[in-house]
Amino acid sequence: MEEAKICLSILILSVSLVFLWASRSSWVRRRRPGGSSSSPPPSPPRLPIIGNLHQMSSRPYQAMHELSKKHGPLMLVYIGPQPLYIVSSAEIATEITRILDADNPVRAPFRSSQAVLSGHRDMIFTPYDRYWRDARKLCNDELLSHKRVQSLHDIRDEQVSKLVEKLRLITSSSASDLDKEVAVDLSRMFLSVATSIDVKAVLGREYERGEDESVALGELIRKANELISETCCGDYFPRLSWLDTLTGHARKVKNTCAPLHEFLDKVIDDHESRSVPDAHNFIYRLQQHTMGLTRSDIKSLLLDVFLGGTDSSAGTMEWTMAELVKNPTAMKKVQEEIRRVVGDKRKIDESDVSQMEYLQCVIKEALRLHGPSAMNRKTPSDTRLSGGFEIPADSSIFINLWAVNRDPALWERPLEFVPERFVNAGHGYKGLDGKYFPFGMGKRICPGVRFAVSKVELVIASMLCWFDWELPGGTAPEDLDMGQTFAIVARKESPLCLVPRPVKAVC
Ligand code: HEM
């Protein structure tokens, strides 16, 4: 990502003189929206043509956070000629969401997201219109509601049992030799289990054969997910969009979209070739609905589930385990709770999980530190904030969740993993407290909260109930590499490899 940014900056600078005049006039137009008298938010100084791009670094959320410490929780930066309003406080994020919810809450789309999501007939980028409302209600009724998520417990149970079984096999083969340690790649296993659960929930059957195929599909979903949140030269310099071919971005989009759409076409074809359709199948329910969805619409809605849910859930599992291994006191406490609740049972019921309060705090804390790094909105009309700032119509707003979740005014010891901060604190997942919103908030809040949380809780509870976990090669917890990628869904840069030690011979 860093190399691509440097390369992009050099290319942009090299043609900057040619475009200087045109871009200057565009800034002037943008900076005086409708002759409004209210002031724009503070801006860091910027360079001609590239604006503040050079200040973004390879870690844009961190860079924006640093800039906001100087320029305030609402600031205006320029990515090339395009203004971008950066929000770094929970208070302003909540105010903006409330104002936009009363109007027309939409997201700013990117060129890559348009390509991946078949022209934005999905829920994520579709405007706040009748289609969005009907599609959201349909997906909720058929897949994501509390009732539907509960009805999918057999699928979660089956896939999680397979994972536990696999770990047992691995550990039993090394059991004769106590000194022998076999480290497993949990990042890969979590991606596989999250993919298998989602695919089976949507298709009603397993599509992939074995872990390798699940991981391959999961990786494809992950790549597509990275792309939909990635901006390219054409987003900010439409006249320079040809540079996206030179930087390889256009090829990356093509190479990701082609197999992804092939997969979606195949699952729809498979479903349609059945002599007796499965009336419970999600695709069937979408096809039958009176909305009259086209194949392309259905593909977009399936992508909402896979792109919205698979990678983010796998990432949450990975970060939760990483933080617990790094924090042995929290690990011990949560394992004691889980083992106490499960007792002598041979299997964890989902109803058990609701009694595991500390586990829920652990997952919330992992999401605070490693959940999605940003939310995005676009202003449908001029938007005036209580601080006296005005954001003109059609502006992109970038809510830096990375900064909000590390705001020392909101969180004590913000950089530390302290699940206790969530005990009886009333921070739910609906973003109603104006402080904690890992799933977003308002009308465009994530519709997959229950779907995701039920999966993450069961996987983590099972990992911690039946196994103890150690770092391989005597690595000390404080030395565990916690480097993260800076996509919207932050992943661990290096895979999480841990040594499982079975604690109960059951199942
Ligand atoms: C740990 C897992 C997940 C996290 C952390 C997460 C987080 C988020 C966030 C922060 C947003 C933006 C909300 C906003 O702008 O206010 C979002 C939107 C969305 N998420 Fe999730 N999500 C997760 C799982 C899922 C799952 C399982 C699904 C579907 C099955 C899903 C589907 C969506 C969709 C469709 C949107 C766009 C909603 C709209 O604009 O109407 N997500 N998610």
Side-chain angles (χ1 to χ4, degrees):
M1 186 170 170
E2 191 161 25
E3 282 161 19
K5 273 243 163 66
I6 292 167
C7 172
L8 189 63
S9 303
I10 292 169
L11 283 164
I12 289 163
L13 278 170
S14 70
V15 289
S16 62
L17 285 174
V18 181
F19 289 90
L20 180 61
W21 177 246
S23 304
R24 263 198 56 202
S25 12
S26 131
W27 291 342
V28 172
R29 273 201 308 277
R30 289 273 186 179
R31 289 185 67 199
R32 293 183 193 141
S36 159
S37 59
S38 51
S39 57
S43 269
R46 61 187 189 276
L47 292 176
I49 307 299
I50 63 167
N52 301 101
L53 189 61
H54 63 296
Q55 289 163 310
M56 291 301 133
S57 84
S58 61
R59 306 210 175 282
Y61 309 108
Q62 226 163 352
M64 288 180 209
H65 183 41
E66 287 309 314
L67 282 175
S68 76
K69 285 184 194 162
K70 252 199 217 156
H71 302 280
L74 175 66
M75 59 179 183
L76 168 59
V77 302
Y78 285 81
I79 306 297
Q82 309 285 349
L84 184 63
Y85 291 81
I86 311 283
V87 175
S88 307
S89 89
E91 197 184 337
I92 300 178
T94 309
E95 184 182 2
I96 288 180
T97 309
R98 188 176 40 74
I99 295 172
L100 298 187
D101 271 2
D103 191 348
N104 186 1
V106 286
R107 287 200 177 82
F110 304 123
R111 286 181 174 227
S112 328
S113 61
Q114 183 118 16
V116 174
L117 290 160
S118 319
H120 293 150
R121 295 283 286 171
D122 61 293
M123 277 184 281
I124 303 174
F125 286 103
T126 208
Y128 182 71
D129 57 9
R130 176 81 195 264
Y131 176 82
W132 174 83
R133 276 191 291 274
D134 289 349
R136 197 165 155 126
K137 181 170 183 327
L138 175 57
C139 291
N140 186 59
D141 291 351
E142 299 301 342
L143 188 72
L144 304 173
S145 68
H146 184 60
K147 198 169 140 213
R148 283 281 166 195
V149 170
Q150 273 192 327
S151 74
L152 296 170
H153 74 93
D154 281 351
I155 293 177
R156 288 187 291 275
D157 217 36
E158 179 193 11
Q159 299 301 326
V160 176
S161 298
K162 277 188 191 170
L163 173 61
V164 171
E165 195 52 39
K166 180 167 182 181
L167 287 167
R168 283 192 187 291
L169 267 173
I170 294 172
T171 50
S172 66
S173 63
S174 56
S176 49
D177 183 354
L178 282 178
D179 292 334
K180 190 174 156 198
E181 57 171 39
V182 179
V184 296
D185 181 346
L186 273 183
S187 302
R188 183 185 158 88
M189 287 183 163
F190 289 156
L191 186 60
S192 167
V193 75
T195 308
S196 310
I197 292 174
D198 292 356
V199 166
K200 199 157 184 194
V202 168
L203 307 183
R205 65 183 182 85
E206 272 161 50
Y207 172 82
E208 344 76 78
R209 288 180 300 270
E211 187 177 305
D212 286 350
E213 280 195 17
S214 295
V215 170
L217 183 57
E219 290 290 357
L220 183 62
I221 291 168
R222 187 165 268 181
K223 263 197 224 154
N225 219 3
E226 282 166 6
L227 271 181
I228 65 166
S229 55
E230 205 171 292
T231 54
C232 61
C233 194
D235 285 317
Y236 296 109
F237 304 89
R239 274 187 260 174
L240 298 182
S241 55
W242 52 271
L243 280 175
D244 291 326
T245 309
L246 287 187
T247 58
H249 181 81
R251 196 181 54 243
K252 198 163 107 187
V253 171
K254 199 168 157 221
N255 289 347
T256 307
C257 289
L260 192 65
H261 284 268
E262 205 177 292
F263 159 71
L264 295 170
D265 279 321
K266 188 167 179 337
V267 296
I268 297 176
D269 287 345
D270 279 2
H271 165 71
E272 286 175 349
S273 66
R274 288 182 180 198
S275 48
V276 184
D278 172 4
H280 299 295
N281 183 294
F282 183 54
I283 298 175
Y284 177 78
R285 312 284 286 192
L286 293 180
Q287 283 175 334
Q288 293 306 305
H289 197 267
T290 49
M291 278 177 81
L293 295 168
T294 64
R295 173 177 277 237
S296 170
D297 298 340
I298 291 177
K299 277 162 63 176
S300 296
L301 296 177
L302 295 182
L303 282 174
D304 275 337
V305 178
F306 295 130
L307 300 193
T310 309
D311 189 17
S312 45
S313 308
T316 308
M317 296 170 197
E318 179 186 43
W319 283 115
T320 305
M321 286 299 286
E323 285 291 0
L324 285 172
V325 168
K326 208 170 164 58
N327 293 278
T329 312
M331 171 69 103
K332 189 165 177 282
K333 189 168 166 183
V334 71
Q335 281 185 313
E336 278 172 6
E337 176 189 75
I338 294 168
R339 290 170 190 172
R340 178 176 40 77
V341 172
V342 176
D344 292 335
K345 285 200 279 190
R346 300 166 68 88
K347 221 161 97 353
I348 301 179
D349 294 324
E350 291 194 340
S351 55
D352 295 334
V353 177
S354 58
Q355 297 170 50
M356 299 173 185
E357 283 168 21
Y358 190 64
L359 170 70
Q360 289 162 20
C361 297
V362 161
I363 293 170
K364 282 183 178 164
E365 179 68 339
L367 274 166
R368 181 185 70 84
L369 286 170
H370 309 287
S373 312
M375 278 160 60
N376 122 15
R377 294 283 189 276
K378 206 169 168 85
T379 45
S381 52
D382 290 355
T383 302
R384 195 178 292 259
L385 300 178
S386 55
F389 295 125
E390 184 164 297
I391 304 180
D394 207 28
S395 300
S396 296
I397 300 175
F398 184 95
I399 298 170
N400 188 354
L401 285 178
W402 194 92
V404 170
N405 286 331
R406 286 164 180 74
D407 185 349
L410 294 180
W411 308 101
E412 241 176 75
R413 297 186 284 149
L415 304 184
E416 290 174 38
F417 182 77
V418 186
E420 284 70 14
R421 69 174 91 243
F422 285 97
V423 176
N424 298 325
H427 303 309
Y429 285 129
K430 291 189 177 159
L432 299 175
D433 59 0
K435 173 171 172 178
Y436 180 67
F437 34 91
F439 290 92
M441 59 178 145
K443 288 185 177 156
R444 307 292 304 228
I445 193 173
C446 177
V449 181
R450 284 173 290 256
F451 192 87
V453 172
S454 57
K455 189 168 47 179
V456 173
E457 285 178 346
L458 187 64
V459 169
I460 298 296
S462 305
M463 295 298 98
L464 300 178
C465 185
W466 314 123
F467 303 94
D468 284 331
W469 296 90
E470 291 164 16
L471 282 161
T475 311
E478 56 276 19
D479 293 335
L480 177 64
D481 175 14
M482 296 293 271
Q484 65 178 54
T485 62
F486 275 73
I488 293 235
V489 177
R491 288 202 335 264
K492 250 183 116 281
E493 263 166 345
S494 55
L496 178 66
C497 293
L498 298 179
V499 180
R501 303 278 187 205
V503 290
K504 285 185 182 180
V506 288
C507 282

